[in-house]
Amino acid sequence: MMMSRSSIRPMAALVLAIGLVAYVGCNSGTDGTGGDLPAASPSPGGVKPGSAGAETGTSKKLFADWPKPVAALLISGEQDGYLEPCGCTSGQLGGLRRRYDLIRHIRETDQWPLALVDLGSLVKDPAGARGGPEQVKIKFSVALKALEMLKYDAFALSAEDLKVGVGESLGQIINLAEKPRVVVANVKPAEGFDQNIRPSVKTKVGPMTIGITAILDPDALNKLKDDEKDALLPTILSPEAALPGVLADLENDTDTQVLLVQGPPELAKSLAAKFPGFDIVVATSDSDPDADPERLNGGKTILVKVGTKGKYVGVVGLYNDPKQKYRFQRVPLNSRYNGDAGPMRKLIEDDFQEMLKQAGVVENFPRRNFVGGAPGATFVGAETCKTCHPGTYAKWAATKHAHAFEDIVTDPKGDRSDHQFDAECISCHTTGFEYNSGWKSAAATPYLKGNQCENCHGPASKHVEEPDNQEFRKLIARTAAGADKAGLCYRCHDEDNSPKFNFQTYWGQIAHSKLDQYTDPKVHEGIKPATAGASEPAK
């Protein structure tokens, strides 16, 4: 019996259908002044890579040296939850607003007939995500909405996207409009999903028809632990069993055949060799992609990678010239594409932030007890530390750490919304967020705003109560060498948020040794921390 859509759609998807949200991630990379440099000459097999999208000198025209293609294909993928560059640093690549601007330019300014395909992996690793699994589900929701807004023709089903929950993922997919369609040739979903998840898609682009299919590595799917998997994805075939029929059907009435491979890069290359009928094969990436595609099958097939974190897309120009069927360009999404992307900005900044607030992602974050500190110690806030360490407090108060919370709730340019309800931002802009006695909200824990002492030293309530207890002092003591070795700073100053971070350079800006005298007897009496970071003499 065919189940109704309402009966197979998970409750979480029904809630998310009301309003879509996502976390804005952070992409590292060198911004630069424009696209990649042009190649010197055409490549074998009619592909001329690297010749478009270059921005040199004062030129602002995209694809300046391309003859106008009869159709074009834009390829994206492996967004990994990085929906927008982080506001903490400059020079980062990627973001859905920049992709929106590039696509708008190709469609409206260049007036090219354009098809859009995505390799999938819109999100990644909900269990280990900085913002928690609930925020990853919301990221997936907004990423789908973005593809729908951009009118993507197809995207591949991926094991990473299914990690939000097979039922959750498929439930959100069936809420999509006509576009995009999910494609996967070797996985057959349960009844009720076949309109949105298909073996292949054929899309008309100008005078050409493009056929698109995808493979999901069976090994990756088999490793996925989910109680609903077998019921919702009952049929899993090998790529070799699934592709012959699908390819034959595409070759019958499409001009260009595209294969998206969700699996190791080696699998994509192997399938390209086994099925040379595909013109374009899209593979996953282990790092930033090469500027030029790899040419296989005597130049007939191009193997394309677009990298991770949504930092790049690939654009393929299609021609009716047998001597040059394609031109390819890897396009870095840098500040060149900071044009008006109003609808995408609204989705990323306004809508999703409000829904994060409504979902209570920060308040409901799965917290744990702090390990390594004094048993039972809680976070007390820098104002409490100030009582005995006024010189150290003054040093901290003059750093950017002290104003970290302000940075995510205000934006002088007016381009960014209040991010205090975004768990990934909060994790580095407040104190003790991951722990039971740490940050909860501006209303509940205002004394933990900013990146304070206890993010490095650990919860200090026991030391505050008994300042001369040597064991408590030992547990919160930190040295530069120890902090560097333990990688304390790299928790936030990682390659995404602070790609140019150097410990020795930055440590000098916050070093605070021997800034206080402890001759006043009151310093040794101890205080009992109260709520809201205030303090009173210990009793």
Side-chain angles (χ1 to χ4, degrees):
M1 180 181 71
M2 181 175 178
M3 295 189 296
S4 68
R5 291 192 175 191
S6 61
S7 67
I8 54 182
R9 184 181 304 154
M11 184 59 66
L14 288 173
V15 174
L16 286 168
I18 298 172
L20 296 168
V21 259
Y23 172 68
V24 176
C26 310
N27 295 353
S28 63
T30 302
D31 193 341
T33 58
D36 294 324
L37 296 176
S41 59
S43 306
V47 181
K48 185 178 181 181
S51 60
E55 183 179 328
T56 57
T58 59
S59 173
K60 295 294 182 181
K61 184 174 176 57
L62 295 173
F63 311 105
D65 64 339
W66 279 24
K68 183 175 181 178
V70 297
L73 176 69
L74 184 140
I75 304 167
S76 58
E78 294 188 274
Q79 190 172 299
D80 298 340
Y82 289 76
L83 304 185
E84 198 75 350
C86 177
C88 298
T89 188
S90 61
Q92 296 170 308
L93 300 179
L96 286 168
R97 285 198 275 178
R98 288 173 175 171
R99 196 191 306 179
Y100 180 101
D101 187 52
L102 172 63
I103 291 170
R104 178 200 57 77
H105 186 102
I106 295 173
R107 282 174 169 161
E108 298 178 10
T109 304
D110 293 327
Q111 295 188 334
W112 292 359
L114 182 66
L116 307 176
V117 299
D118 191 275
L119 182 58
S121 294
L122 304 180
V123 295
K124 188 174 184 178
D125 189 21
R130 187 194 293 260
E134 189 61 31
Q135 186 150 317
V136 174
K137 292 179 183 179
I138 299 171
K139 290 184 194 180
F140 181 65
S141 174
V142 112
L144 288 178
K145 183 63 177 177
L147 296 187
E148 190 175 44
M149 179 188 297
L150 291 167
K151 294 182 171 56
Y152 265 71
D153 295 273
F155 71 99
L157 187 68
S158 80
E160 288 297 327
D161 292 334
L162 293 172
K163 287 180 181 179
V164 302
V166 174
E168 176 78 30
S169 178
L170 300 190
Q172 292 193 36
I173 286 170
I174 66 173
N175 285 321
L176 292 171
E178 182 179 353
K179 286 186 176 184
R181 295 291 189 224
V182 177
V183 289
V184 57
N186 66 316
V187 179
K188 184 177 180 180
E191 289 185 282
F193 296 99
D194 51 331
Q195 289 301 309
N196 294 72
I197 303 175
R198 299 179 178 180
S200 64
V201 166
K202 301 173 184 178
T203 184
K204 189 74 172 176
V205 191
M208 305 190 79
T209 301
I210 300 176
I212 307 155
T213 189
I215 286 294
L216 174 51
D217 180 19
D219 289 341
L221 191 53
N222 289 332
K223 291 176 183 176
L224 185 64
K225 306 297 183 184
D226 191 297
D227 292 339
E228 295 183 294
K229 181 179 69 175
D230 292 342
L232 296 178
L233 300 173
T235 304
I236 304 173
L237 303 175
S238 69
E240 291 78 8
L243 282 178
V246 173
L247 177 58
D249 175 64
L250 295 180
E251 288 181 315
N252 184 52
D253 55 4
T254 64
D255 302 292
T256 300
Q257 294 79 44
V258 179
L259 173 63
L260 310 172
V261 182
Q262 264 293 342
E266 302 78 28
L267 178 61
K269 193 168 184 178
S270 171
L271 293 177
K274 292 177 181 177
F275 299 96
F278 287 106
D279 301 294
I280 302 168
V281 177
V282 183
T284 59
S285 303
D286 298 321
S287 59
D288 285 349
D290 293 333
D292 299 345
E294 189 173 355
R295 291 163 293 280
L296 307 172
N297 302 323
K300 194 267 183 188
T301 304
I302 58 173
L303 183 71
V304 173
K305 295 181 180 181
V306 292
T308 60
K309 302 180 181 181
K311 294 187 288 184
Y312 298 87
V313 298
V315 178
V316 182
L318 306 176
Y319 299 87
N320 283 324
D321 183 353
K323 294 182 179 180
Q324 187 177 63
K325 293 179 65 177
Y326 319 111
R327 286 198 177 200
F328 175 83
Q329 176 62 38
R330 180 191 72 172
V331 182
L333 295 177
N334 53 32
S335 59
R336 174 180 181 173
Y337 308 104
N338 285 354
D340 180 20
M344 190 65 74
R345 184 213 172 277
K346 182 178 185 301
L347 174 66
I348 297 298
E349 287 295 332
D350 300 337
D351 298 345
F352 106 91
Q353 287 295 343
E354 177 60 28
M355 291 304 294
L356 282 177
K357 178 181 178 181
Q358 295 300 322
V361 170
V362 169
E363 291 88 336
N364 298 323
F365 186 86
R367 292 172 172 83
R368 63 188 188 277
N369 290 327
F370 186 88
V371 176
T378 58
F379 290 87
V380 298
E383 287 292 333
T384 298
C385 303
K386 178 182 179 181
T387 304
C388 299
H389 304 278
T392 300
Y393 177 91
K395 173 75 173 182
W396 166 80
T399 68
K400 292 182 179 179
H401 282 169
H403 304 283
F405 185 76
E406 300 167 24
D407 289 341
I408 63 171
V409 298
T410 60
D411 177 24
K413 297 179 181 179
D415 185 55
R416 193 185 70 232
S417 298
D418 182 348
H419 281 218
Q420 67 177 294
F421 306 105
D422 185 323
E424 292 202 10
C425 291
I426 283 294
S427 68
C428 286
H429 288 257
T430 60
T431 299
F433 171 63
E434 300 175 49
Y435 305 107
N436 288 320
S437 64
W439 173 269
K440 289 184 175 58
S441 69
T445 52
Y447 54 95
L448 297 178
K449 291 180 179 179
N451 200 317
Q452 301 182 15
C453 319
E454 292 167 292
N455 272 346
C456 292
H457 291 276
S461 65
K462 294 296 183 181
H463 166 66
V464 167
E465 292 172 1
E466 300 182 49
D468 288 336
N469 183 311
Q470 294 301 310
E471 184 61 27
F472 292 164
R473 289 173 65 175
K474 180 180 178 181
L475 289 171
I476 66 170
R478 299 288 182 268
T479 64
D484 191 16
K485 183 177 180 180
L488 286 179
C489 302
Y490 293 99
R491 175 181 166 275
C492 290
H493 291 278
D494 57 18
E495 64 176 11
D496 292 327
N497 300 282
S498 190
K500 297 180 180 179
F501 179 78
N502 176 274
F503 179 84
Q504 296 300 327
T505 299
Y506 282 80
W507 179 259
Q509 299 177 23
I510 66 166
H512 49 274
S513 178
K514 300 179 180 179
L515 297 179
D516 290 289
Q517 299 293 325
Y518 304 109
T519 55
D520 187 338
K522 292 183 179 179
V523 169
H524 299 274
E525 292 177 3
I527 56 178
K528 183 179 180 180
T531 58
S535 58
E536 57 186 30
K539 297 179 180 178

